[in-house]
Amino acid sequence: MLTASVLAAQNAKSLDCTTLAGTRPEQVIDLILERASLGWNRSDSSRKLALVIEGGGMRGVISAGSLLALDLLGFRELFDEIYATSAGGVNAAYFLSGQGKLGMTVYFDDIANRRFINPWRLFKIVDVDYAVSDSLPIARAIANGCTDVLVLASSRCDVPMARPGFWEQRCFYLMAGRRYPALMRAFASMHETVNGSRRLATGLDTVEGVNVALIAPCEGDSTVRTTAIERARLVRGAHQMATRTFELFAGEREVLEELFTSYRARAVVARAR
């Protein structure tokens, strides 16, 4: 059976050194590979495996790319529990229903437009109702007894989130905070929650008996912002993380290259029309 250490050595040239980050991340990877190769019975497992998925508006295409890889690898039934918020929750729904491809392509085929994201629509730039939540609910998974956590992040976890600036807080107050004071307080302190989760994801903070493996964008990767609508950038971001995730577990990526070649070709055909 392949182990995380063997796979890491195989992919040393193609994977960034920060890809397999966390707290004893190789134990999480080995557990997933063991369940995939030997079969898994929920009733006789002493370890509880969680999948945590980050969203973040259009950045959700990043974690959707990782989920596509897990789906293609046949890992959909291996997790005891899944934790996700925002776009990550949507990604999780597609993943669990066996529609990993659709869950990723919806970002660049269906909602990458000014109808869904419009910077001139100042009080509702993204056409969804606003909410504030823990974008990486790792602590919640640990509190529920998970011993191993695979984190699929859509943002750089090695970079702290800044405190919301004065004008950010004023805009949020006008949009929602004046009606919902508790929501305003949550928004103002959101950076503290996010940074705590990022420290758990990267292994800067640890919990005894809990293993965490992080798959996340790294320095040099194509940047996808929350309100990005450029199709090529969205496809590129999804491709990067799908490839990184697939190689980590399987060491090959031919099936991914075929898929993403077809996605890029669709854009060429659309432009020609």
Side-chain angles (χ1 to χ4, degrees), residues 107-184:
Y107 284 95
F108 44 78
D109 281 344
D110 298 298
I111 61 175
N113 53 61
R114 290 302 182 199
R115 186 175 65 257
F116 184 65
I117 295 179
N118 188 344
W120 298 107
R121 194 171 53 213
L122 296 180
F123 290 99
K124 201 172 187 182
I125 294 175
V126 181
D127 191 19
V128 296
D129 292 329
Y130 288 92
V132 177
S133 62
D134 183 0
S135 60
L136 275 174
I138 303 170
R140 190 179 309 172
I142 294 173
N144 285 345
C146 294
T147 59
D148 298 84
V149 184
L150 177 63
V151 181
L152 304 182
S154 61
S155 58
R156 291 274 300 277
C157 288
D158 57 336
V159 178
M161 181 180 185
R163 179 188 181 93
F166 173 78
W167 290 113
E168 286 181 277
Q169 294 197 45
R170 290 305 298 170
C171 287
F172 190 85
Y173 174 79
L174 292 174
M175 288 188 293
R178 57 183 173 180
R179 287 177 293 166
Y180 306 104
L183 192 61
M184 187 69 226

Side-chain angles (χ1 to χ4, degrees), residues 22-24 142 196 199-212:
T23 302
R24 296 176 297 277
I142 294 173
R199 288 194 297 271
L200 284 172
T202 56
L204 291 177
D205 288 349
T206 63
V207 176
E208 185 177 357
V210 177
N211 308 312
V212 178

Side-chain angles (χ1 to χ4, degrees), residues 64-80:
S66 290
L67 285 172
L68 171 65
L70 296 182
D71 198 5
L72 292 173
L73 290 164
F75 292 172
R76 185 159 37 96
E77 303 292 337
L78 301 183
F79 300 94
D80 295 279

Side-chain angles (χ1 to χ4, degrees), residues 32 50-53 63-84 87-104 150 152 245:
I32 294 171
L51 178 63
V52 174
I53 308 165
S63 54
S66 290
L67 285 172
L68 171 65
L70 296 182
D71 198 5
L72 292 173
L73 290 164
F75 292 172
R76 185 159 37 96
E77 303 292 337
L78 301 183
F79 300 94
D80 295 279
E81 296 178 351
I82 295 181
Y83 296 81
V90 178
N91 292 347
Y94 279 112
F95 175 66
L96 288 171
S97 64
Q99 300 181 85
K101 295 177 186 177
L102 179 60
M104 183 190 66
L150 177 63
L152 304 182
T245 305

